[in-house]
Amino acid sequence: MIRRIIRHRLTRRLATALGTLLGVAILVFIMLRAIPGDQVTAQFGLEAAGLTEAQRAQLEAYYGLDRPLVVQFFSWLGNLFSGNLGFSSRAQMSVAALTAQSLPVTVELAVLTIVLSLLIGVPLGMLSASKPNSLRDGLGQTVGLAGLSIPAFLLGSSLLAWLAGSGFNPNGLGYASLTQQPWLNLQQMLLPAVVLAFGIAAPIMRTTRTAVLEVRSLDFIRTARAKGVPVRRLQWRHVLGNALVPITTMTGLQFGYLLGGAIVVEQIFSLPGIGRQVLIGIQQKEYAVVQSTVLIIATGFVLVNLATDALYRLIDPRVRVS
Amino acid sequence: MSVVEATPAATSSNGRSGRAAFRMLLRSPAGLVGLILVGLIALLCLASALHLLPYDPLLQEASQRMRPPSSEHWFGTDRFGRDVFARVAAGVANSARIALVAVAFSTLAGTIGGIVSGYLRGASDAAISGVTNVLFAFPPLLLALTLASVFARTWFTIAVAIAVVYTPIFIRVTRGPVLTLREIDFVRSARATGQSPAAIMARHILPNIASIIIVQVTLSLSWAVLTEASLSFLGLGTPPPAPSLGSMVYEARTLVALAPWTMIFPGLIMVVLVVGLNLLGDGVRDALDPQSRGKR
Amino acid sequence: MRNRTHLSRLALPVAGLLSAALALTSCGTPSNDPTDKPTEQILVVGTTSDPDTLFPWKATQFFAVNVAQNLYGTLTEFDADLNVVPGLAESWETSADGLTVTFKLRPGAKFADGTDCDSTDVKHSLEAIQNEATAAVARSSLATVTKIEAPDASTVVLTLSVPDAGLPSNLAVINMAILSSEDTEETLNTKPNGTGAFVLTSRQPNQSLTLARNEHYWGAKPPLDGIEFRIIPDETSIVSAMQSGNINLTTFDDPLVAQSAEAAGLTVRKTPQLSYHVLQLNATRGALVDENVRLAMQCAIDRQEVLDTAAQGEGEVTGPITSPAYRSDPKARPCPTRDLAKAAQYLAQSGLSEVTVNAIVSQGEYATSVNEAENLKAQLAEAHINLELEVLESGAYVQRWIDADFESAVALNGGRPDPDGMYGRYFPSTGNLNKVAGYSSPTLDQLFAQGKSESDPAERAKIYTQISNELEDHAVWIWLFTSYSYTVTTAGVTGYTPMPNASAQYLRSTSIA
């Protein structure tokens, strides 16, 4: 029994995932300590020069910087297991509480972005694939290319500049949460989601197109067509059904990426998301904040990958059999 | 494009010589347009690198502040009276330099890692895969950002930071095919004749995955350009005063109402470069892999 | 071409969504008032960063100081012209020998929690600031204070080791805030309890900070019911939020952002600042040990050109002391204007034909740093002085600066109303920043001691003019210019007076129509 559990694929995957997260933890811990300056200099700035040695020592003890690195690492890791992600002295809040505020922002943004990208990318990809190398294919591909080539910060900055005079600036009202002011919240999420979706729709569109073309050349579709199944139905049911696997994989990948990759857009549109939490943490040298937050993002990424993998098995009969 | 030349004449299983592939590339509209765009940008970089442009990108002239585009200053001037055209040219040269070095490093490290990992399997595979997993799970922009804050920032350290982010992609892309290749007859027979693993990897494996690597290189170049720009935009890219397209856009944001040209031109050139690289990537893929043609 | 046609196809639904959202915000805005009581006067202040601490003794970051300023009170205060005026101390008296200062506290002053603020709290606060274990930034300002006594509830007596004319001014800084003896740093971090005009009601890290009027405030009742500090990292967004009336007041450093705010129809007021842009020289390092080299640098630099190039001419060329009452004459120096011949002469006297000086430059700390450095480099090059720029990320820069690990530093340093408060830490050999100043001399030590003990304002001014000349004549540093801060307000905001020390204390007299 135990042997079967150990040998089971899921167990192995979970073990790999845990190992990966441990690696991320070590990496982020070391990198942070290598950045010049610490929380004392980050908080006091040039005034830190005027601190006496006793004052400096006092502050280092206060921020927990006086302990040996190994002790710092293991006490952080140990605390993680007991659910204590650390404390942000800047925000006077636990990292868990901070994350409880910032993570939903980013997750919501990521979900909206993915929905928008699917809405744009999949139909566009099917349109392109419906008549390869035609004008419409060319047009579809051009959009895809534009999406791949226009960076989010450029699109976001130009959108904001363009809208500046129009009076439409929901993000200037201060962030509204989805639960308290859903309508305002959606307005605030709209532009950043559009900006991100523009970039993410492109790979989804390309994946859809390739997948559809590939599936269409498969024997059973040819047979179905020969049997007289209407092309439109064929398109949606069979072709898209079978192209779902690569599209799902792609989407999962992009979602995982968005958790940590929306940082530029969060910055431009003043969204208090998790990316900004890390950025501010790095600036303020709040080690616990950065370490735990990066680990949370990495966990999200790993989980999304596991989920994609599971979904993939669910959708694709071939994988299920093997 | 030195990276492309560094893996010459892949006598791949697809059986197409480098020269034929290049001819194919020219024949595909995407590849041709991409080549032209990238070529134009390369000329601009060259002109800047050889100081052929009329203005110094760093020269600040208070009297010429925020001039709109004119015959004298083609792209206008910025808030410090610097010529935007000269800065865009120097910036794109800088981006290209960083992207090339970053991709060269990640190609080298990633390919070696992928081949070793896929061919030798065992402990080295476990180690390399472990590192790859960690780097993948680390949010890429945050990884580059943190790495870029660790070392004294120069264009080279930025390139290395970006290379670290992209190395795992090359490892993944090469490892898969190598796993298949090592079981193929001619590799088995090479092993049977007692050739050393290093020799087999270099002589039999590498040439057969060359086309995959080349395609990945062209695609990665465009990502690397965008990553550098994003880092600069967050204030952690190329340190000023050296221009970078990302930092130019960032600085222009506050004066876009007063001097829109300071944002439009660097943004435009960045998009042209990335479009060019993407098209070129598509073209190269079509040329090297006939199966993907019309399907990408 | 193809690109465009297709983009418009995609753009169409997006534009539709946008305009729908647009229409809905424009009619939805009034209901966004969080309180629903139309009579409530809430001022929204836009700011780019979150305060890094609410504890006044450790607040150094610009925004943290601004918030603390509105929550806490000090014994003395500055008025809009930087004169020292009564705060929690109604009056004070210095003994004839200058060694005893007696403060009469304001009767009825209360903390936000309603408890009295009396001499016990003052004694406790000042003693805690002196205690190294507290790690208060302003500790050195109380260096002359040897004893703090509270003979009765409304009297505090400070005994000094030497007369200290700068003391009343030093006590007006918010890092000298008077805290209740009942409170600890820990409790105040989350629940500030001060004698300021406002109290903290809620805080959302990285999002906003809400203040309400302090009903126990001793001064005139603030017209505002509350203030919301809204954190928006992007200055352009702040401008556009002000245009749509969502933010009422903000402060910018960048003249061009201010200009675009003005172009957008907002009211912009500029205030000269005490802080100064400077090329700090470390006279203990390399070629800079030689005074002739430093003077050659001074002569080779046209300060107006640095100002024009890097800061769009928005500012004033300055000498060492920037406080209006003691202002240095910027022309009082060996080279009042750029003089390359004289620079060459000085360089020749040093026996060197060419000099290389390393300069640390921060990226990100303030906008103009790198451009100042570039212009300085270009100008110095013409005098055969090679300024080797080392552009550092701000964390690395701060570390190098506080370790005094540089030959020269392009810096923007904070100024203070009192010249002793401003330079008494840097140039006397005993100053806690003397290592960073990189220069000291017996003459300066003596002059600073005199300035500190002289109580007659006219005599003091003379001494600090001497100090200023001494600093310039030996080219200790190269002072460049001061810049402005720009206060942007929407229509209807009145009563706010921006201050040269960047304090936002006059939010307490601000009202909004």
Side-chain angles (χ1 to χ4, degrees):
Chain A
M1 183 64 195
I2 290 168
R3 196 172 293 167
R4 254 181 67 196
I5 292 175
I6 292 173
R7 280 225 200 108
H8 194 273
R9 204 176 155 281
L10 192 67
T11 322
R12 279 213 317 267
R13 293 224 51 172
L14 279 177
T16 313
L18 278 179
T20 301
L21 291 178
L22 182 68
V24 170
I26 295 173
L27 187 62
V28 66
F29 184 89
I30 293 174
M31 282 203 307
L32 276 179
R33 299 306 187 283
I35 298 177
D38 59 22
Q39 201 173 351
V40 179
T41 53
Q43 162 148 18
F44 285 79
L46 301 185
E47 292 290 338
L51 296 171
T52 64
E53 247 163 60
Q55 283 183 313
R56 171 98 208 176
Q58 181 68 29
L59 287 166
E60 279 176 5
Y62 179 77
Y63 293 124
L65 302 172
D66 55 337
R67 297 174 301 167
L69 286 185
V70 182
V71 176
Q72 288 184 38
F73 180 73
F74 282 103
S75 80
W76 168 59
L77 211 59
N79 283 335
L80 281 185
F81 284 111
S82 60
N84 176 1
L85 301 183
F87 187 76
S88 161
S89 57
R90 182 186 62 84
Q92 286 298 314
M93 239 190 203
S94 70
V95 180
L98 267 181
T99 309
Q101 288 186 357
S102 61
L103 188 61
V105 180
T106 303
V107 169
E108 187 196 344
L109 181 63
V111 169
L112 279 178
T113 301
I114 290 294
V115 170
L116 269 177
S117 340
L118 285 174
L119 285 179
I120 302 170
V122 172
L124 214 57
M126 296 192 55
L127 191 77
S128 275
S130 63
K131 213 171 167 193
N133 301 325
S134 66
L135 184 64
R136 69 169 90 139
D137 184 23
L139 289 175
Q141 297 223 45
T142 309
V143 175
L145 185 65
L148 281 183
S149 311
I150 300 179
F153 70 82
L154 186 59
L155 190 61
S157 300
S158 342
L159 257 182
L160 214 59
W162 176 56
L163 282 172
S166 75
F168 175 73
N169 187 354
N171 300 65
L173 287 168
Y175 178 72
S177 72
L178 184 63
T179 46
Q180 281 163 0
Q181 291 167 283
W183 178 236
L184 183 59
N185 171 278
L186 286 179
Q187 288 173 30
Q188 294 180 339
M189 287 286 179
L190 179 71
L191 286 182
V194 166
V195 167
L196 285 173
F198 187 63
I200 291 189
I204 291 185
M205 176 261 165
R206 286 184 161 212
T207 312
T208 309
R209 183 176 176 277
T210 313
V212 168
L213 285 179
E214 227 152 61
V215 172
R216 258 216 282 186
S217 61
L218 293 179
D219 288 344
F220 77 99
I221 298 286
R222 283 201 202 133
T223 321
R225 196 183 282 172
K227 275 185 183 167
V229 180
V231 174
R232 195 164 288 264
R233 222 176 97 203
L234 201 71
Q235 178 105 341
W236 284 106
R237 255 272 202 63
H238 295 271
V239 177
L240 193 59
N242 279 284
L244 219 51
V245 178
I247 296 175
T248 312
T249 316
M250 191 65 195
T251 310
L253 210 73
Q254 296 292 346
F255 186 85
Y257 160 77
L258 272 178
L259 290 180
I263 178 169
V264 174
V265 168
E266 286 172 6
Q267 189 74 2
I268 295 176
F269 290 98
S270 318
L271 292 178
I274 201 157
R276 229 175 98 201
Q277 183 171 314
V278 179
L279 193 63
I280 296 173
I282 293 178
Q283 284 162 358
Q284 295 287 334
K285 308 287 178 328
E286 287 210 287
Y287 297 149
V289 176
V290 181
Q291 286 163 195
S292 298
T293 315
V294 164
L295 206 57
I296 289 167
I297 299 175
T299 311
F301 183 82
V302 168
L303 285 180
V304 167
N305 270 351
L306 285 176
T308 312
D309 195 54
L311 203 64
Y312 182 90
R313 293 166 157 275
L314 215 69
I315 298 171
D316 191 351
R318 279 167 303 182
V319 181
R320 215 174 335 167
V321 171
S322 68
Chain B
M1 297 304 107
S2 56
V3 188
V4 178
E5 287 156 9
T7 44
T11 45
S12 65
S13 49
N14 296 334
R16 189 180 287 152
S17 75
R19 191 168 295 172
F22 188 68
R23 235 178 283 129
M24 284 288 298
L25 177 68
L26 290 183
R27 230 177 286 147
S28 85
L32 189 63
V33 173
L35 207 60
I36 291 171
L37 291 181
V38 172
L40 285 176
I41 299 275
L43 281 180
L44 190 63
C45 297
L46 207 66
S48 168
L50 299 176
H51 303 286
L52 296 177
L53 299 176
Y55 294 96
D56 176 347
L58 300 184
L59 183 72
Q60 313 182 85
E61 255 190 280
S63 62
Q64 297 293 310
R65 198 156 50 223
M66 302 222 293
R67 294 285 166 88
S70 64
S71 58
E72 206 175 325
H73 295 283
W74 296 343
F75 288 0
T77 60
D78 69 3
R79 63 184 301 174
F80 302 108
R82 297 177 296 198
D83 183 63
V84 174
F85 185 77
R87 286 185 70 72
V88 164
V92 78
N94 184 38
S95 297
R97 177 172 65 173
I98 291 177
L100 280 175
V101 171
V103 171
F105 272 139
S106 50
T107 308
L108 194 70
T111 306
I112 293 175
I115 294 179
V116 167
S117 163
Y119 184 78
L120 295 183
R121 309 292 324 258
S124 50
D125 186 23
I128 292 172
S129 296
V131 171
T132 313
N133 283 339
V134 169
L135 291 179
F136 258 119
F138 209 114
L141 197 54
L142 294 178
L143 179 60
L145 207 134
T146 324
L147 279 173
S149 343
V150 170
F151 303 102
R153 213 134 23 86
T154 63
W155 71 269
F156 187 74
T157 51
I158 311 269
V160 172
I162 297 175
V164 171
V165 175
Y166 286 121
T167 301
I169 299 181
F170 279 91
I171 294 179
R172 278 233 174 136
V173 161
T174 47
R175 182 177 170 272
V178 173
L179 282 179
T180 324
L181 276 171
R182 78 191 288 272
E183 304 304 332
I184 283 180
D185 288 343
F186 69 95
V187 178
R188 282 167 182 246
S189 59
R191 220 170 5 227
T193 55
Q195 289 189 35
S196 73
I200 296 176
M201 285 189 264
R203 263 181 237 145
H204 300 290
I205 307 273
L206 183 64
N208 280 296
I209 55 167
S211 62
I212 298 171
I213 297 170
I214 293 170
V215 170
Q216 194 57 42
V217 163
T218 37
L219 289 176
S220 301
L221 278 173
S222 71
W223 295 338
V225 168
L226 290 181
T227 307
E228 190 278 327
S230 303
L231 279 179
S232 295
F233 187 81
L234 291 171
L236 287 159
T238 318
S244 142
L245 296 179
S247 59
M248 287 179 78
V249 171
Y250 180 72
E251 285 162 20
R253 254 155 31 105
T254 49
L255 37 148
V256 72
L258 304 171
W261 55 90
T262 52
M263 185 197 265
I264 293 171
F265 291 110
L268 196 71
I269 294 295
M270 188 191 320
V271 172
V272 169
L273 173 60
V274 179
V275 165
L277 287 171
N278 275 326
L279 285 174
L280 191 65
D282 288 348
V284 168
R285 172 161 36 189
D286 288 356
L288 290 175
D289 179 8
Q291 283 182 335
S292 81
R293 199 139 20 100
K295 277 196 208 161
R296 46 155 213 274
Chain C
M1 220 48 219
R2 272 164 54 172
N3 202 338
R4 196 173 302 160
T5 35
H6 210 96
L7 267 175
S8 67
R9 204 192 268 190
L10 174 81
L12 212 63
V14 173
L17 269 171
L18 276 180
S19 49
L22 238 153
L24 280 154
T25 21
S26 45
C27 55
T29 317
S31 69
N32 284 318
D33 188 340
T35 50
D36 267 357
K37 267 190 268 168
T39 48
E40 284 252 285
Q41 275 202 19
I42 308 280
L43 184 85
V44 184
V45 179
T47 160
T48 50
S49 67
D50 210 6
D52 57 5
T53 179
L54 294 177
F55 188 61
W57 295 346
K58 287 183 179 173
T60 61
Q61 177 216 31
F62 171 75
F63 184 45
V65 168
N66 268 346
V67 172
Q69 198 89 47
N70 283 290
L71 299 174
Y72 290 92
T74 42
L75 284 178
T76 59
E77 288 186 0
F78 294 117
D79 68 5
D81 300 319
L82 300 179
N83 301 310
V84 180
V85 294
L88 287 168
E90 215 173 21
S91 64
W92 57 92
E93 215 170 87
T94 311
S95 64
D97 62 359
L99 294 178
T100 318
V101 188
T102 310
F103 290 86
K104 273 283 166 208
L105 300 186
R106 194 174 291 275
K110 283 182 196 309
F111 289 102
D113 65 0
T115 56
D116 286 336
C117 172
D118 59 22
S119 59
T120 335
D121 301 305
V122 175
K123 178 174 155 66
H124 166 262
S125 295
L126 296 184
E127 278 174 354
I129 289 171
Q130 284 190 313
N131 184 354
E132 282 184 305
T134 316
V137 261
R139 183 179 170 274
S140 65
S141 301
L142 293 177
T144 53
V145 178
T146 51
K147 197 159 62 172
I148 302 161
E149 287 162 302
D152 64 62
S154 64
T155 311
V156 176
V157 180
L158 304 190
T159 309
L160 311 183
S161 55
V162 287
D164 187 351
L167 186 68
S169 170
N170 283 342
L171 290 171
V173 178
I174 200 63
N175 296 134
M176 286 286 184
I178 303 302
L179 312 183
S180 163
S181 53
E182 318 260 291
D183 287 323
T184 62
E185 175 175 359
E186 201 125 308
T187 57
L188 292 175
N189 270 329
T190 45
K191 218 180 161 327
N193 180 31
T195 58
F198 295 91
V199 291
L200 181 79
T201 47
S202 76
R203 177 180 187 198
Q204 293 241 286
N206 304 338
Q207 295 181 35
S208 68
L209 220 81
T210 317
L211 273 50
R213 184 195 300 126
N214 178 4
E215 299 301 340
H216 299 291
Y217 180 54
W218 55 265
K221 180 182 166 185
L224 291 174
D225 294 292
I227 306 171
E228 182 193 336
F229 290 99
R230 193 172 288 166
I231 296 136
I232 296 183
D234 179 46
E235 293 188 330
T236 329
S237 284
I238 297 185
V239 173
S240 77
M242 291 188 82
Q243 271 178 279
S244 46
N246 295 321
I247 290 176
N248 310 111
L249 189 148
T250 195
T251 306
F252 294 132
D253 290 328
D254 186 339
L256 287 176
V257 179
Q259 204 178 320
S260 50
E262 205 155 27
L266 300 161
T267 314
V268 177
R269 183 150 37 136
K270 65 179 178 187
T271 320
Q273 294 296 293
L274 291 182
S275 51
Y276 54 95
H277 296 256
V278 61
L279 178 63
Q280 267 182 249
L281 305 179
N282 186 344
T284 63
R285 288 261 191 133
L288 294 176
V289 175
D290 187 341
E291 186 170 313
N292 285 310
V293 174
R294 301 199 304 270
L295 282 165
M297 290 176 80
Q298 187 195 71
C299 291
I301 293 170
D302 179 345
R303 293 166 290 174
Q304 187 65 42
E305 189 188 317
V306 182
L307 172 60
D308 285 345
T309 313
Q312 287 79 46
E314 287 280 312
E316 280 159 40
V317 167
T318 190
I321 302 174
T322 55
S323 156
Y326 298 89
R327 185 168 214 99
S328 308
D329 174 8
K331 294 235 174 275
R333 68 204 298 243
C335 282
T337 51
R338 189 179 197 218
D339 190 338
L340 281 178
K342 230 166 154 186
Q345 206 183 316
Y346 280 123
L347 201 60
Q349 280 172 27
S350 76
L352 298 162
S353 57
E354 229 184 65
V355 183
T356 297
V357 176
N358 155 282
I360 56 168
V361 186
S362 103
Q363 182 212 344
E365 197 87 332
Y366 58 103
T368 51
S369 54
V370 179
N371 304 93
E372 282 170 39
E374 275 292 298
N375 186 259
L376 289 170
K377 183 186 166 79
Q379 291 198 41
L380 288 170
E382 290 172 37
H384 304 286
I385 298 166
N386 173 24
L387 194 67
E388 220 167 57
L389 303 183
E390 205 176 334
V391 179
L392 302 167
E393 183 258 336
S394 72
Y397 174 88
V398 169
Q399 195 66 58
R400 292 276 298 273
W401 194 92
I402 64 181
D403 293 342
D405 182 14
F406 59 84
E407 286 183 6
S408 71
V410 179
L412 170 61
N413 292 347
R416 302 232 185 129
D418 187 82
D420 183 59
M422 187 156 170
Y423 290 121
R425 337 185 264 163
Y426 283 106
F427 296 112
S429 50
T430 50
N432 62 352
L433 295 180
N434 188 247
K435 187 170 80 158
V436 179
Y439 182 90
S440 63
S441 72
T443 321
L444 278 176
D445 281 2
Q446 201 193 340
L447 284 170
F448 270 101
Q450 280 176 23
K452 211 174 168 76
S453 56
E454 179 59 60
S455 55
D456 179 56
E459 286 301 312
R460 270 197 103 201
K462 272 189 210 155
I463 294 168
Y464 286 105
T465 305
Q466 269 178 281
I467 288 180
S468 176
N469 292 341
E470 183 75 11
L471 292 171
E472 290 278 40
D473 289 346
H474 296 284
V476 172
W477 289 355
I478 297 166
W479 281 267
L480 301 169
F481 62 93
T482 55
S483 42
Y484 302 110
S485 92
Y486 303 85
T487 307
V488 186
T489 46
T490 49
V493 177
T494 50
Y496 182 75
T497 315
M499 290 178 60
N501 63 349
S503 157
Q505 71 184 34
Y506 284 110
L507 283 174
R508 67 187 181 204
S509 61
T510 307
S511 64
I512 177 171

